[in-house]
Amino acid sequence: MLATLVNKFWQEPKHFNDFLHHLRKFCQKDNLNCFCEFLASKELTLISKTEAIDSEVTDDEARSFLVKSEPKTE
């Protein structure tokens, strides 16, 4: 998994997870959903507690982070 590889070099899961949160917000703000979908297709996730003990992210949060959400019905 890419997050595991990055964690080995970054050595700080919080920085990586914060970066992904900011990237997602930027994509949503500028309507770049296709980029988030691309990241999700590569199974890029947040670094979870399972991957790094000092992470604050659960496995469920990591898996669902970039999962495409259903459009809201009105």
Side-chain angles (χ1 to χ4, degrees):
M1 183 171 289
L2 183 57
T4 303
L5 179 62
V6 171
N7 187 39
K8 289 182 184 203
F9 295 103
W10 205 319
Q11 297 302 336
E12 193 61 45
K14 182 172 180 2
H15 293 300
F16 181 77
N17 291 344
D18 287 348
F19 170 74
L20 282 185
H21 279 287
H22 289 294
L23 183 60
R24 181 178 67 175
K25 285 181 185 178
F26 173 79
C27 289
Q28 289 172 340
K29 178 181 151 249
D30 291 339
N31 200 24
L32 298 173
N33 293 329
C34 61
F35 185 69
C36 282
E37 290 172 11
F38 170 76
L39 294 177
S41 75
K42 300 301 178 189
E43 298 183 9
L44 185 68
T45 64
L46 297 173
I47 298 172
S48 70
K49 291 178 185 179
T50 301
E51 294 177 296
I53 196 148
D54 53 341
S55 175
E56 299 175 357
V57 177
T58 66
D59 288 338
D60 288 338
E61 290 171 313
R63 275 192 298 272
S64 66
F65 179 66
L66 288 175
V67 174
K68 186 176 178 181
S69 58
E70 295 298 317
K72 294 181 181 178
T73 56
E74 297 179 35

